[in-house]
Amino acid sequence: MTLETGMQELLMEFLKTLPINIIIIILSAALGLLFAVLLTFVRLKRIPVISQLADLYVSFARSVPGLILLFIAYFGIPKVLPLIGLGTYDISPMHAAIISMGFYHSGYISEVFRPAYLAVEKSQHEAADSLGYTPMQKFFRIILPQMVPVALPGYGNALVYLIHDTSLIFAIGIVDIMGTAELSIARSYGTNQILIYFIIALMFSAMCFTTDGLVRKLEKRVAIR
Amino acid sequence: MKKKSILVAASVLGLSLLTACNSTDNKSQAESTGDSGVRTIKVATGHTSKPLSWVDENDEVTGYEPELIKELDKVLEDYEFELFGVEDSAGETGVATGKYDMLAGGLGFTEERAEQYIIPSESSGRALIKIYVAEDSGIEGIQDLVGKKISPLSPAGATYKTVKDWEEENPEFKLEYDLADVGIPIADRLKEVATGKYDALFYPSSYGQIEIIEDQKLPVVGLDPVKIIPTFFMIHKSEENEELKQAIDEGLKELAEAGVLSELSTEFYAEDVFQYD
């Protein structure tokens, strides 16, 4: 096999497994976003005990390395579920990856949303209240439009970290682009290591670049004029 | 218009989540409901440790250990084996927690492992610690390495321990080497010996050295092993697995007597690792 055909085959294999990374990124980003909104709400409401628990959760999710979270989800969930009476369920690697990445991401972006909410001046709340807005109207019409421009840059960063963290999922046997790279290196006894890591670096850059572009576009659209 | 696109996006997301769930659910269902009397054993093994165990181009787990498991599957009628290629650390964690029933990772016996896992009495293979030297170096054994440049040893693992034990037994010989966890592929480390950067390299022989030396036409040879370490499957500690251990012992004995272990060794390591016993 010549180097060129070898490279072509390798690239095809990378492209074949790329959707796995994309699915995990999209689903864990969605799960993370949903959970982060809930977390931020609970934390801002300052409900006794629950808010503190939410603070603890955010701190834990942000401080534990991604690989450990992945192992906790994959090996820990099947152990914990029977203990809390939810029966036995053997979690698949894909689910473990989405849950652990979503968990990690939610902690991170909750810490982006909270300051963004607090950045909206108090007078804005008061003005909305004095005009007779309901809490829902106030949030969606006055507060959220001012929150989003503040939160977006931080949110974009968090997405980039999330993309980086998907490079860990091969550890539990999901063959994504990083997995394809590692397998290919192993099959050739490490002789093509540098080249393959270089290709992987380019692919991750492309994913981050695209995400960054999308977030920037959104930033421009919602910029406070 | 905006609302519509949000709705579409949400339903696509929901659907993909559902399909993701479905595809895996089917699998786990099939795993748990085996035919009556036949127990399915989940075996974790390395996915990038060619030729010990790796995932090939057809996404098939193969290598010395996986093929041995497939042979066991044939001789043990009450058991069916399912292989999972994962990282070494994930394999060990998974067998400790019971996610997998067994680990086929070419691991040697240690007291710590005996406490954590059930270890069969029959070994599954041999880990050979060998010295790799240049063909014309004149080095014939470990005692010839005094004053030679030795490639750095990884502080973790059996290789360093082997060298240290030998030094303790033979205090008249003083070897010089650095400790470093070198992430350099074995092919490059053999090249360092070929080019004379180092005079000798201590390494377990199960990393495809013979094939690499042949493929890359390196003027390097592996000397007879300094140490022969029997390797074992590690079984998750539980009552029902005591029976599994018995079965594995019987199966391994049968396969060893029939010469299957030696055949597999020659196929994957290009030599019979049992010849040095």
Side-chain angles (χ1 to χ4, degrees), chain B residues 48-59:
Chain B
T48 54
S49 310
K50 188 179 174 183
L52 183 86
S53 63
W54 81 99
V55 178
D56 71 7
E57 285 80 357
N58 307 316
D59 294 329

Side-chain angles (χ1 to χ4, degrees), chain B residues 205-275:
Chain B
S205 71
S206 57
Y207 288 79
Q209 282 92 327
I210 294 181
E211 204 183 317
I212 296 171
I213 290 170
E214 270 174 22
D215 275 1
Q216 312 219 354
K217 299 187 178 59
L218 299 175
V220 173
V221 286
L223 305 177
D224 278 352
V226 191
K227 181 143 190 185
I228 302 158
I229 305 167
T231 60
F232 298 89
F233 296 137
M234 301 288 151
I235 301 172
H236 173 64
K237 234 180 190 170
S238 76
E239 237 165 69
E240 58 169 353
N241 281 349
E242 290 292 345
E243 226 171 275
L244 172 66
K245 174 199 176 279
Q246 303 281 338
I248 295 282
D249 277 340
E250 280 163 27
L252 282 175
K253 210 166 183 182
E254 190 183 329
L255 290 174
E257 276 164 13
V260 177
L261 266 63
S262 292
E263 272 170 35
L264 286 176
S265 165
T266 314
E267 183 184 347
F268 288 100
Y269 300 133
E271 70 166 341
D272 181 1
V273 292
F274 300 93
Q275 65 179 306

